[in-house]
């Protein structure tokens, strides 16, 4: 168990992290990648990078607008380019978008010098976390619960292939 308050845990994790240049958080939307990433970066004195945020800043618009105006393939190309850029750096905690696993090369590139960890949560937890969120383009149409179940099912094998897994269902960002 790791905690922000335990010096032994903190020391052990810091020593373990000497093997990795970065920590990369992957997983479905609403599993806590951003909140965990921010807390982890602060705790480890690393730089936090939210990939969707970087893409939005560079494009001057939201991810939803990119999907709407230019399509998902365009967004995935931007995402792929950013993976190549970030995987060449060190000292980062990276929160990826939920679809990063759709291109296996993304995970391969991040794994070369980073600890890739997949965050997961039960579908009902994800739904509760995203119930008031209208910024998710893949949940914009239809019933959110059904879209979550369909997307989770279609990506399950990709998420499960990541060796390091943490179920965030009943955990705070600090516990994770």
């Amino acid at each position: 168990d790791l905690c922000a308050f335990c010096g032994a845990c903190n020391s052990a994790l810091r020593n373990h992290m000497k093997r990795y240049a970065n920590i990369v958080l992957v997983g479905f939307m609403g599993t806590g990648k951003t909140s965990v990433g921010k807390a982890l970066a602060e705790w480890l004195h690393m730089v936090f990078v939210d990939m969707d945020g970087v893409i939005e800043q560079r494009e001057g618009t939201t991810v939803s607008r990119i999907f709407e105006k230019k399509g998902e393939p365009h967004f995935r190309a931007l995402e792929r380019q950013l993976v190549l850029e970030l995987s060449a750096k060190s000292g980062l905690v990276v929160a990826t978008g939920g679809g990063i696993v759709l291109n296996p090369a993304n995970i391969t590139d991040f794994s070369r010098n980073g600890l890739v960890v997949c965050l997961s949560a039960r579908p009902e937890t994800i739904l509760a976390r995203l119930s008031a969120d209208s910024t998710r383009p893949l949940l914009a149409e239809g019933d959110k619960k059904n879209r979550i179940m369909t997307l989770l099912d279609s990506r399950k094998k990709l998420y499960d292939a990541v060796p390091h897994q943490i179920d965030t269902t009943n955990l705070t960002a600090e516990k994770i």
Side-chain angles (χ1 to χ4, degrees):
D1 236 37
L2 297 177
C3 65
F5 307 106
C6 175
C9 292
N10 198 350
S11 176
L13 182 59
R14 286 180 197 272
N15 287 335
H16 180 69
M17 285 312 302
K18 289 178 183 175
R19 292 182 29 210
Y20 301 101
N22 300 311
I23 299 173
V24 181
L25 302 176
V26 303
F28 196 73
M29 60 185 100
T31 57
K33 298 180 299 291
T34 300
S35 57
V36 170
K38 286 177 181 177
L40 193 56
E42 183 178 338
W43 183 39
L44 294 173
H45 306 288
M46 296 173 78
V47 175
F48 175 71
V49 177
D50 181 287
M51 286 186 62
D52 285 351
V54 170
I55 291 170
E56 287 180 339
Q57 182 181 23
R58 289 180 178 178
E59 293 294 299
T61 191
T62 64
V63 170
S64 293
R65 279 278 194 217
I66 296 168
F67 268 69
E68 181 185 319
K69 298 292 183 189
K70 296 184 178 180
E72 185 175 357
H74 177 75
F75 175 80
R76 297 297 174 205
L78 296 171
E79 189 175 59
R80 177 70 185 132
Q81 188 58 44
L82 187 54
V83 167
L84 294 171
E85 182 183 325
L86 295 175
S87 64
K89 296 184 179 194
S90 62
L92 306 177
V93 175
V94 180
T96 67
I100 199 80
V101 295
L102 297 173
N103 182 343
N106 291 333
I107 302 305
T108 300
D109 288 337
F110 273 139
S111 295
R112 285 197 179 106
N113 72 342
L115 174 64
V116 179
V117 179
C118 183
L119 304 184
S120 63
R122 288 192 296 248
E124 55 274 8
T125 300
I126 293 169
L127 179 62
R129 290 176 181 171
L130 299 179
S131 63
D133 189 340
S134 61
T135 65
R136 310 291 178 149
L138 294 176
L139 299 181
E141 295 181 23
D143 178 62
K144 268 190 184 179
K145 182 179 180 181
N146 288 338
R147 290 292 300 148
I148 288 169
M149 296 301 293
T150 300
L151 286 168
L152 274 173
D153 188 52
S154 70
R155 296 177 182 178
K156 182 175 178 13
K157 288 181 183 176
L158 300 170
Y159 291 136
D160 288 349
V162 177
H164 304 286
Q165 301 275 331
I166 299 174
D167 184 342
T168 67
T169 298
N170 295 313
L171 299 175
T172 64
E174 289 74 25
K175 285 279 188 188
I176 297 162

